[in-house]
Amino acid sequence: MKLSTKSRYASRLMIRLAMDSSLDPLQLNEISRKENISEKYLSQIVIPLRKAGLIESVRGARGGYKLSRSIKEISLLDVVNAMEGGVEIVHCLKDDKLCDRTSSCTTYRVWDDVTKAMEMTLARYTLDVLLDMISSSDDPMSEI
Amino acid sequence: MKLSTKSRYASRLMIRLAMDSSLDPLQLNEISRKENISEKYLSQIVIPLRKAGLIESVRGARGGYKLSRSIKEISLLDVVNAMEGGVEIVHCLKDDKLCDRTSSCTTYRVWDDVTKAMEMTLARYTLDVLLDMISSSDDPMSEI
DNA sequence: AATAAATACTAGTAAAATAGTAGTATATTG
DNA sequence: CAATATACTACTATTTTACTAGTATTTATT
């Protein structure tokens, strides 16, 4: 039950975008350097984020990416949802046609409950909360 | 971020053991029939459960399995922990030597929080709670 | 003692998911 | 027009998942 690197890298990328106060878009090449993640891989990660409407891209020279909403309005639930297509821990939560036991399934209710707990927790971590966590950290040079 | 079939099947197997009030051990062949899971596969699933001390086996003819603790003392957290070796959603939560960013990592704290939320939720579902859910269900013939 | 019924153990394997890489096309700036 | 960036498409090695198969061992029953 591991989170994919895509979700984790996407989270770090989003925090980098949130940290960038400049009006110009931030380029993948810079995020790649700071986060030590292949630029090519980042360029894949960025696609679902854009499709989910979390970020906007600017093409061409001096292009890059920026958040499309305020840092208060983007949570890690949004990010993980975008990357994984939902955080459901079993397929039948997403598509109940996958299993005809659903309506009478006891464990189904448990997995649903667990999924909701994850969602609630992730939703609490909006980008502004994460920035607060970083700025209140002991080490001012801390990584994200 | 899906739960493995092993964990899900193990949960259903454990509920079957919990439902069995007889003093004799329950055999895989019966669980296999009732749950529509290959007996051979169940025989693999049973191994981590036994190693985790959740069930006991009786070998030989008329052998089988039974819970080694009371239904109040076994939760789905125990089951998932046994099957997956922990519910951590990132490896670094289990072994912090895996990443040198750990001490200064903001997202680390999020993943830790999410993992704890999952653990708390799973721990609430002890086998006796699950049995209550089944018996209070509308359909007396409901599957688990 | 022999047989049947069960678990225990070891190994293998097909399919899917993961974690990337590579290359070309397209858009924009200067 | 050249340089710089994203956009898109395709491929691939590795790992994980979800099994299956076969043999060995233990125990109850006859």
Side-chain angles (χ1 to χ4, degrees):
Chain A
M1 261 231 285
K2 294 290 179 284
L3 199 63
S4 65
T5 59
K6 285 201 176 185
S7 286
R8 290 188 286 116
Y9 291 176
S11 300
R12 287 158 63 184
L13 179 147
M14 291 297 280
I15 294 172
R16 283 291 173 193
L17 291 184
M19 289 172 78
D20 182 50
S21 51
S22 136
L23 291 174
D24 296 327
L26 194 58
Q27 288 133 29
L28 290 188
N29 124 38
E30 184 173 339
I31 299 175
S32 166
R33 262 190 302 104
K34 287 183 174 163
E35 292 292 337
N36 247 287
I37 303 171
S38 136
E39 188 182 336
K40 272 291 185 191
Y41 199 23
L42 283 178
S43 79
Q44 297 240 46
I45 284 164
V46 121
I47 296 171
L49 293 174
R50 186 165 45 78
K51 287 188 176 163
L54 301 179
I55 61 177
E56 280 165 14
S57 65
V58 179
R59 297 183 68 164
R62 305 207 43 181
Y65 299 88
K66 55 185 176 181
L67 300 177
S68 44
R69 299 205 294 262
S70 103
I71 55 173
K72 282 188 193 304
E73 294 171 322
I74 298 177
S75 73
L76 290 189
L77 175 59
D78 298 318
V79 175
V80 175
N81 267 331
M83 300 310 293
E84 321 254 332
V87 300
E88 298 79 14
I89 63 168
V90 286
H91 290 292
C92 57
L93 291 175
K94 187 125 215 199
D95 180 4
D96 54 16
K97 282 183 279 306
L98 285 169
C99 176
D100 53 1
R101 302 169 70 259
T102 301
S103 65
S104 56
C105 181
T106 302
T107 52
Y108 174 92
R109 294 208 262 158
V110 180
W111 312 141
D112 190 35
D113 204 4
V114 171
T115 300
K116 285 190 169 62
M118 294 179 61
E119 287 175 339
M120 279 184 56
T121 307
L122 285 171
R124 275 204 300 274
Y125 290 98
T126 53
L127 292 176
D128 73 306
V129 166
L130 290 162
L131 290 186
D132 281 349
M133 288 167 63
I134 293 168
S135 63
S136 68
S137 133
D138 292 338
D139 177 4
M141 297 299 287
S142 72
E143 299 291 320
I144 59 170
Chain B
M1 263 234 284
K2 295 290 179 284
L3 199 63
S4 66
T5 58
K6 284 200 175 185
S7 286
R8 291 188 286 114
Y9 291 176
S11 300
R12 288 160 62 186
L13 180 147
M14 291 297 281
I15 293 172
R16 284 289 172 192
L17 291 184
M19 290 171 77
D20 182 50
S21 51
S22 133
L23 291 175
D24 295 327
L26 193 58
Q27 288 135 26
L28 290 189
N29 124 39
E30 184 173 340
I31 299 174
S32 166
R33 263 190 303 104
K34 287 183 176 164
E35 291 293 336
N36 246 286
I37 304 170
S38 134
E39 188 182 336
K40 271 293 185 191
Y41 198 24
L42 284 178
S43 78
Q44 296 239 47
I45 284 164
V46 120
I47 297 170
L49 293 174
R50 186 166 44 82
K51 286 188 176 164
L54 301 179
I55 62 177
E56 281 166 14
S57 65
V58 179
R59 298 185 69 167
R62 305 207 43 179
Y65 299 89
K66 55 185 176 180
L67 300 178
S68 44
R69 299 205 295 262
S70 103
I71 56 174
K72 283 189 193 301
E73 294 171 322
I74 299 177
S75 72
L76 290 189
L77 176 58
D78 298 318
V79 175
V80 175
N81 267 332
M83 300 309 293
E84 321 254 331
V87 300
E88 298 78 15
I89 63 169
V90 287
H91 290 292
C92 56
L93 292 174
K94 186 123 215 201
D95 179 4
D96 55 15
K97 283 183 277 310
L98 284 169
C99 176
D100 53 1
R101 302 168 71 259
T102 301
S103 65
S104 55
C105 181
T106 301
T107 51
Y108 173 92
R109 293 207 263 157
V110 181
W111 312 141
D112 190 33
D113 205 3
V114 171
T115 300
K116 285 187 170 63
M118 294 179 61
E119 287 175 340
M120 278 183 56
T121 307
L122 285 171
R124 274 203 301 275
Y125 290 98
T126 53
L127 292 177
D128 72 307
V129 166
L130 290 163
L131 290 186
D132 281 348
M133 288 167 63
I134 292 168
S135 62
S136 67
S137 135
D138 291 339
D139 178 3
M141 296 300 286
S142 70
E143 300 293 318
I144 58 171

